PDB file of all heavy atoms in Angstrom:
ATOM      1  N   LEU A   8      -9.190   7.332   1.793  1.00 95.00           N
ATOM      2  CA  LEU A   8      -9.270   8.778   2.045  1.00 95.00           C
ATOM      3  C   LEU A   8     -10.328   9.076   3.212  1.00 95.00           C
ATOM      4  O   LEU A   8     -10.126   9.947   4.018  1.00 95.00           O
ATOM      5  CB  LEU A   8      -9.628   9.584   0.857  1.00 95.00           C
ATOM      6  CG  LEU A   8      -9.459  11.196   0.966  1.00 95.00           C
ATOM      7  CD1 LEU A   8      -8.186  11.596   1.426  1.00 95.00           C
ATOM      8  CD2 LEU A   8      -9.740  11.767  -0.410  1.00 95.00           C
ATOM      9  N   ALA A  12      -9.543  10.995   6.680  1.00 96.00           N
ATOM     10  CA  ALA A  12     -10.388  12.204   6.983  1.00 96.00           C
ATOM     11  C   ALA A  12     -10.953  12.020   8.344  1.00 96.00           C
ATOM     12  O   ALA A  12     -10.969  12.977   9.178  1.00 96.00           O
ATOM     13  CB  ALA A  12     -11.466  12.411   5.869  1.00 96.00           C
ATOM     14  N   PRO A  38     -12.303  26.802   3.620  1.00 97.00           N
ATOM     15  CA  PRO A  38     -13.016  25.741   2.764  1.00 97.00           C
ATOM     16  C   PRO A  38     -12.105  24.618   2.212  1.00 97.00           C
ATOM     17  O   PRO A  38     -12.495  23.476   2.161  1.00 97.00           O
ATOM     18  CB  PRO A  38     -13.494  26.608   1.650  1.00 97.00           C
ATOM     19  CG  PRO A  38     -13.615  27.966   2.220  1.00 97.00           C
ATOM     20  CD  PRO A  38     -12.551  28.081   3.164  1.00 97.00           C
ATOM     21  N   ILE A  41     -11.597  22.255   5.094  1.00 97.00           N
ATOM     22  CA  ILE A  41     -12.836  21.526   5.241  1.00 97.00           C
ATOM     23  C   ILE A  41     -12.943  20.320   4.285  1.00 97.00           C
ATOM     24  O   ILE A  41     -13.406  19.184   4.567  1.00 97.00           O
ATOM     25  CB  ILE A  41     -14.088  22.398   5.282  1.00 97.00           C
ATOM     26  CG1 ILE A  41     -14.103  23.288   6.519  1.00 97.00           C
ATOM     27  CG2 ILE A  41     -15.388  21.531   5.196  1.00 97.00           C
ATOM     28  CD1 ILE A  41     -15.134  24.336   6.538  1.00 97.00           C
ATOM     29  N   ALA A  42     -12.396  20.651   3.085  1.00 97.00           N
ATOM     30  CA  ALA A  42     -12.435  19.533   2.000  1.00 97.00           C
ATOM     31  C   ALA A  42     -11.655  18.423   2.422  1.00 97.00           C
ATOM     32  O   ALA A  42     -11.909  17.266   2.096  1.00 97.00           O
ATOM     33  CB  ALA A  42     -11.992  20.223   0.752  1.00 97.00           C
ATOM     34  N   ILE A  43     -10.562  18.635   3.220  1.00 97.00           N
ATOM     35  CA  ILE A  43      -9.721  17.562   3.601  1.00 97.00           C
ATOM     36  C   ILE A  43     -10.541  16.706   4.740  1.00 97.00           C
ATOM     37  O   ILE A  43     -10.515  15.574   4.653  1.00 97.00           O
ATOM     38  CB  ILE A  43      -8.394  18.122   4.348  1.00 97.00           C
ATOM     39  CG1 ILE A  43      -7.408  18.698   3.231  1.00 97.00           C
ATOM     40  CG2 ILE A  43      -7.677  17.081   5.137  1.00 97.00           C
ATOM     41  CD1 ILE A  43      -6.228  19.429   3.875  1.00 97.00           C
ATOM     42  N   GLU A  44     -11.139  17.391   5.567  1.00 96.00           N
ATOM     43  CA  GLU A  44     -11.942  16.636   6.629  1.00 96.00           C
ATOM     44  C   GLU A  44     -13.155  15.983   6.123  1.00 96.00           C
ATOM     45  O   GLU A  44     -13.742  15.124   6.736  1.00 96.00           O
ATOM     46  CB  GLU A  44     -12.305  17.617   7.804  1.00 96.00           C
ATOM     47  CG  GLU A  44     -11.094  18.047   8.663  1.00 96.00           C
ATOM     48  CD  GLU A  44     -11.462  18.659   9.997  1.00 96.00           C
ATOM     49  OE1 GLU A  44     -12.641  19.120  10.102  1.00 96.00           O
ATOM     50  OE2 GLU A  44     -10.588  18.691  10.849  1.00 96.00           O
ATOM     51  N   LYS A  45     -13.609  16.461   4.931  1.00 96.00           N
ATOM     52  CA  LYS A  45     -14.707  15.837   4.313  1.00 96.00           C
ATOM     53  C   LYS A  45     -14.325  14.792   3.248  1.00 96.00           C
ATOM     54  O   LYS A  45     -15.159  14.338   2.488  1.00 96.00           O
ATOM     55  CB  LYS A  45     -15.553  16.857   3.643  1.00 96.00           C
ATOM     56  CG  LYS A  45     -16.368  17.721   4.647  1.00 96.00           C
ATOM     57  CD  LYS A  45     -17.509  18.518   4.064  1.00 96.00           C
ATOM     58  CE  LYS A  45     -18.419  19.119   5.110  1.00 96.00           C
ATOM     59  NZ  LYS A  45     -19.442  19.930   4.526  1.00 96.00           N
ATOM     60  N   ALA A  46     -13.057  14.464   3.286  1.00 96.00           N
ATOM     61  CA  ALA A  46     -12.495  13.432   2.363  1.00 96.00           C
ATOM     62  C   ALA A  46     -12.728  13.761   0.885  1.00 96.00           C
ATOM     63  O   ALA A  46     -12.832  12.921   0.041  1.00 96.00           O
ATOM     64  CB  ALA A  46     -13.113  12.073   2.669  1.00 96.00           C
ATOM     65  N   ILE A  47     -12.730  15.005   0.648  1.00 97.00           N
ATOM     66  CA  ILE A  47     -12.778  15.481  -0.810  1.00 97.00           C
ATOM     67  C   ILE A  47     -11.390  15.754  -1.289  1.00 97.00           C
ATOM     68  O   ILE A  47     -11.173  15.490  -2.516  1.00 97.00           O
ATOM     69  CB  ILE A  47     -13.613  16.823  -0.899  1.00 97.00           C
ATOM     70  CG1 ILE A  47     -15.112  16.497  -0.439  1.00 97.00           C
ATOM     71  CG2 ILE A  47     -13.585  17.346  -2.329  1.00 97.00           C
ATOM     72  CD1 ILE A  47     -15.909  17.705  -0.173  1.00 97.00           C
ATOM     73  N   ARG A  48     -10.438  16.250  -0.496  1.00 97.00           N
ATOM     74  CA  ARG A  48      -9.157  16.527  -0.861  1.00 97.00           C
ATOM     75  C   ARG A  48      -8.173  15.776   0.031  1.00 97.00           C
ATOM     76  O   ARG A  48      -8.243  15.830   1.315  1.00 97.00           O
ATOM     77  CB  ARG A  48      -8.868  17.972  -0.755  1.00 97.00           C
ATOM     78  CG  ARG A  48      -7.458  18.481  -1.004  1.00 97.00           C
ATOM     79  CD  ARG A  48      -7.307  19.987  -0.724  1.00 97.00           C
ATOM     80  NE  ARG A  48      -6.018  20.473  -1.041  1.00 97.00           N
ATOM     81  CZ  ARG A  48      -4.890  20.392  -0.237  1.00 97.00           C
ATOM     82  NH1 ARG A  48      -5.045  19.790   0.879  1.00 97.00           N
ATOM     83  NH2 ARG A  48      -3.809  20.987  -0.603  1.00 97.00           N
ATOM     84  N   ARG A  49      -7.237  15.055  -0.581  1.00 97.00           N
ATOM     85  CA  ARG A  49      -6.173  14.339   0.208  1.00 97.00           C
ATOM     86  C   ARG A  49      -5.057  15.350   0.620  1.00 97.00           C
ATOM     87  O   ARG A  49      -4.588  16.034  -0.266  1.00 97.00           O
ATOM     88  CB  ARG A  49      -5.541  13.282  -0.730  1.00 97.00           C
ATOM     89  CG  ARG A  49      -4.576  12.352  -0.010  1.00 97.00           C
ATOM     90  CD  ARG A  49      -4.035  11.287  -0.896  1.00 97.00           C
ATOM     91  NE  ARG A  49      -4.997  10.307  -1.284  1.00 97.00           N
ATOM     92  CZ  ARG A  49      -5.338   9.202  -0.544  1.00 97.00           C
ATOM     93  NH1 ARG A  49      -4.650   9.109   0.603  1.00 97.00           N
ATOM     94  NH2 ARG A  49      -6.257   8.377  -0.918  1.00 97.00           N
TER      95      ARG A  49
END
Side-chain angles (χ1 to χ4, degrees):
Chain A
L8 189 53
I41 290 170
I43 291 176
E44 288 195 342
K45 287 195 167 176
I47 297 166
R48 176 186 182 278
R49 183 180 291 276

